[in-house]
Amino acid sequence: MKKIVLLSLDERPCNYDFPYKLFQSDEIKIVRPDRLGSKKTPADTELIKAFLRKECESAYGVILSVDMLLYGGLIPSRIHQEDEETLKKRLRIIRELKQKNPQLKVYAFQCIMRCPNYNGDDEEPDYYAAYGKKIFEEGVLKHKYRLAMAEEKELQQVRMEIPSEVLIDYEKRREINRNLNMETIGYYKAGYIDTLVFPQDDSAPYGYTAMDQMTIRRRIQKDCLTDEILIYSGADEVALTLASRMINKMKESSPKVYVKYAAEAAKYMIPLYEGVRLGTTIGYHILSAGCVQVETDDKADTILVITAPDDRMEEAVTQPSIRPNYNAERNMPEMIRYILRQMEAGKRIAIADNAYANGGELDLIRILDKHQILMKVCAYAGWNTNGNTLGTTLAQAVYDYHYGDTRQRRNFLVERFIEDVGYCGLVRSKVTNQITKMGLGYFDAGGEDGIVAEMVKKELYAFIKEYLPSIVDQVEITHVSMPWRRMFEIRVNADIDHR
């Protein structure tokens, strides 16, 4: 048995639980901290260092979130008041781990700080509730002004609408975080990190995040590391992706992946919350997972089915889309027949359901159920951003390639149907509407457990009955809770074939 140490991006299930659930096995022991932080409350970075010192000394590898190591989590990375020197001292533990265990494989990832386009302080500094959208607009104009695409007066006008102390705080933190990105590149160059990924969390073609990405990319180019350090759209799926890469490394294998689009033009579309064309991002995700993209399906170990539309992605709550092209350009009949034909030929089918953002496609899941192939696909995901969906789908495919159709893979797969399609695509908005009459709301679910979690569980069973009838008698939901005490995500455990 080989030990892999997991230091996740934060304590949410997608980061803390998913790699553990999917890859823990008789061959792989995944070790993670017993306790992390809680949303805006950072994890204890001293305890994290002690955990890493203890566990990495005898480990095969470590999947390491640099944001957790430095700031105590993803949200704390956006609101911290740490000075640069303190953060650089924390980073030194990576060198120490490698020196004590030279064989340790360090697969690290560090987010490029996001700049969302809305007013809201749930995951941002308090002032983002009043000035978030303006900060985003100011960043876009600043970027375009540097590129001679906007006038200085436009930039100055929007800057005047944001208090100077707000911009000073925001830009100073971005500068510190960017400098720590640069410091981490130095650790990679020195050989203390074996694989390094800079995921872009909720990005856009222009703005603060895009400017930071360009600065980081220039440093990578200067060090002649363009072919080694990866920058792509994603965040909450990266631990899964790097775990896949580590297992492929352990197995000395590079599974071959063929990409099948429901709409061929989708590869040129820029998904919601991302700044790069879909086809480019898919290529990065396949590479990051330690796989190889191939041009024909006959050479593939896995066929990755992409359900995305041809031009503009919508939110899952709007489904079915009323835009004619949304469905006309996605040849779903041909795609389903292709899936059935390839399954008959014994091919492994993985579905990245990025038809919509923030939830899976209800129509697709009903069709898969109608043909009774829900549990015959090797992988499925359809949650939050396109990057999250891709990484989660590929990780399942890698697991299936190496370990086959195990019960834990089947449980993970059915949880994706329940959470990604059932909760994100349908139940979340329904229950949110119900609890507003109870004095609760989207950002206040009344705690982790309790009446809201019970309401969600009841609605999820109703979803299974209506949309997954071919497996309804085989599925048991064993746990539902609201980990950040809000409606955005749930922790769900399910068991299939339990009887």
Side-chain angles (χ1 to χ4, degrees), residues 277-327:
R277 298 188 190 279
L278 174 59
T280 303
T281 299
I282 290 172
Y284 273 115
H285 276 263
I286 291 171
L287 180 64
S288 187
C291 300
V292 176
Q293 186 170 347
V294 293
E295 296 302 317
T296 57
D297 54 20
D298 61 308
K299 296 180 179 179
D301 299 305
T302 298
I303 295 171
L304 178 64
V305 175
I306 302 295
T307 67
D310 68 319
D311 57 355
R312 182 164 57 87
M313 187 180 285
E314 295 181 10
E315 295 283 354
V317 293
T318 69
Q319 65 178 303
S321 173
I322 61 172
R323 288 195 295 118
N325 278 2
Y326 215 91
N327 293 307

Side-chain angles (χ1 to χ4, degrees), residues 394-457:
L394 283 167
Q396 294 170 74
V398 167
Y399 177 92
D400 187 74
Y401 175 79
H402 291 298
Y403 302 107
D405 187 19
T406 66
R407 184 166 181 174
Q408 75 185 68
R409 186 200 68 80
R410 290 168 66 81
N411 284 349
F412 191 88
L413 176 61
V414 82
E415 286 169 6
R416 303 282 55 75
F417 294 140
I418 292 170
E419 182 177 356
D420 298 5
V421 191
Y423 183 72
C424 297
L426 186 68
V427 171
R428 178 167 54 198
S429 59
K430 186 175 183 179
V431 174
T432 300
N433 291 335
Q434 293 172 355
I435 66 174
T436 54
K437 302 170 186 175
M438 301 161 49
L440 300 172
Y442 191 86
F443 295 108
D444 178 16
E448 290 191 33
D449 303 297
I451 188 170
V452 176
E454 284 301 315
M455 291 169 67
V456 169
K457 187 174 183 179

Side-chain angles (χ1 to χ4, degrees), residues 453-469:
E454 284 301 315
M455 291 169 67
V456 169
K457 187 174 183 179
K458 179 181 177 182
E459 293 293 344
L460 288 176
Y461 268 122
F463 160 78
I464 294 170
K465 184 177 180 180
E466 180 177 355
Y467 288 88
L468 313 178

Side-chain angles (χ1 to χ4, degrees), residues 174-185:
R174 291 203 72 96
E175 180 185 6
I176 290 173
N177 289 14
R178 185 174 61 248
N179 288 345
L180 265 296
N181 290 141
M182 301 295 196
E183 192 79 1
T184 304
I185 293 172

Side-chain angles (χ1 to χ4, degrees), residues 28 136 139 179 185 198 210-211 252 318 328 375 378 396:
I28 300 167
F136 175 83
N179 288 345
I185 293 172
F198 288 111
M211 285 188 287
E252 297 182 348
T318 69
M375 303 309 298
C378 76
Q396 294 170 74

Side-chain angles (χ1 to χ4, degrees), residues 316-373:
V317 293
T318 69
Q319 65 178 303
S321 173
I322 61 172
R323 288 195 295 118
N325 278 2
Y326 215 91
N327 293 307
E329 291 293 337
R330 292 195 309 142
N331 192 338
M332 297 298 283
E334 189 276 334
M335 188 192 82
I336 295 299
R337 281 158 179 76
Y338 178 86
I339 290 173
L340 293 171
R341 188 170 66 252
Q342 293 298 333
M343 280 184 171
E344 288 177 4
K347 285 292 187 179
R348 188 177 287 105
I349 300 293
I351 301 177
D353 187 7
N354 44 19
Y356 297 91
N358 283 308
E361 184 177 11
L362 295 164
D363 186 50
L364 169 66
I365 220 70
R366 292 181 75 176
I367 294 170
L368 297 178
D369 182 89
K370 181 176 75 172
H371 290 281
Q372 299 192 6
I373 58 172

